[in-house]
Amino acid sequence: MKPEVIISNARRSLHAAPINRDWILEGTPEATGCPIFETSDRGDNVHEWQCSPGRFVWHYGIDEIVYIIEGRARIKDLATGVTTNVAAGTSILFQCGSSAEWTVDERVRKIAINHIPLSPKLVRMRAAWRRLKRLFGKHEAPKGGGLSNLPLGDEPTV
């Protein structure tokens, strides 16, 4: 089957996505969500998620990249103790194995990109493959432009 471009522009129906009761610290936060996309290898997916006010801990078993669409919350990194205020426009990376305490002050809506990390052995194999490709001149530049050569959002442009 030939790869195709898939577009989703319809408003999604969010369904109950309860927070683990053992993780709730305060209030009665109610979460809803829905999947939007999943990659063909099922290693990555995109979800829309929202949550009403409350305080809870979330333990991340995969990498999750979050973009806050609306609302306000405070997120405490349980490894460092640092608390950060987040609102619409904030991006966050929760690494696999991390834990965070969410204090949702105003209903939060986010887009989450979930990624199942590769095993260390596969990461090393991929790095070796990329080195071999560079060594033999098989490095391909992105065709037709793209975002892969742009700096990360917080990096200064040259």
Side-chain angles (χ1 to χ4, degrees), residues 14-15 17-20 24 26-33 48-58 68-73 102-111:
L14 303 181
H15 305 281
I19 298 168
N20 182 326
I24 297 174
E26 191 176 287
T28 54
E30 292 184 24
T32 56
E48 182 174 340
W49 184 87
Q50 68 181 13
C51 183
S52 65
R55 189 167 67 95
F56 53 91
V57 171
W58 200 276
I68 304 293
I69 298 171
E70 61 185 42
R72 291 182 306 105
W102 285 71
T103 303
V104 177
D105 299 313
E106 176 183 302
R107 184 179 67 92
V108 167
R109 190 163 65 104
K110 70 178 185 177
I111 295 295

Side-chain angles (χ1 to χ4, degrees), residues 56-124:
F56 53 91
V57 171
W58 200 276
H59 302 284
Y60 294 85
I62 58 176
D63 290 336
E64 182 170 311
I65 299 169
V66 166
Y67 182 77
I68 304 293
I69 298 171
E70 61 185 42
R72 291 182 306 105
R74 288 169 278 142
I75 297 176
K76 179 179 181 180
D77 179 344
L78 295 182
T80 64
V82 174
T83 299
T84 304
N85 294 317
V86 300
T90 304
S91 299
I92 310 152
L93 169 60
F94 297 99
Q95 294 181 321
C96 180
S98 66
S99 296
E101 181 181 301
W102 285 71
T103 303
V104 177
D105 299 313
E106 176 183 302
R107 184 179 67 92
V108 167
R109 190 163 65 104
K110 70 178 185 177
I111 295 295
I113 302 167
N114 299 303
H115 169 74
I116 299 170
L118 297 174
S119 71
K121 183 178 181 179
L122 286 174
V123 170
R124 286 190 302 274

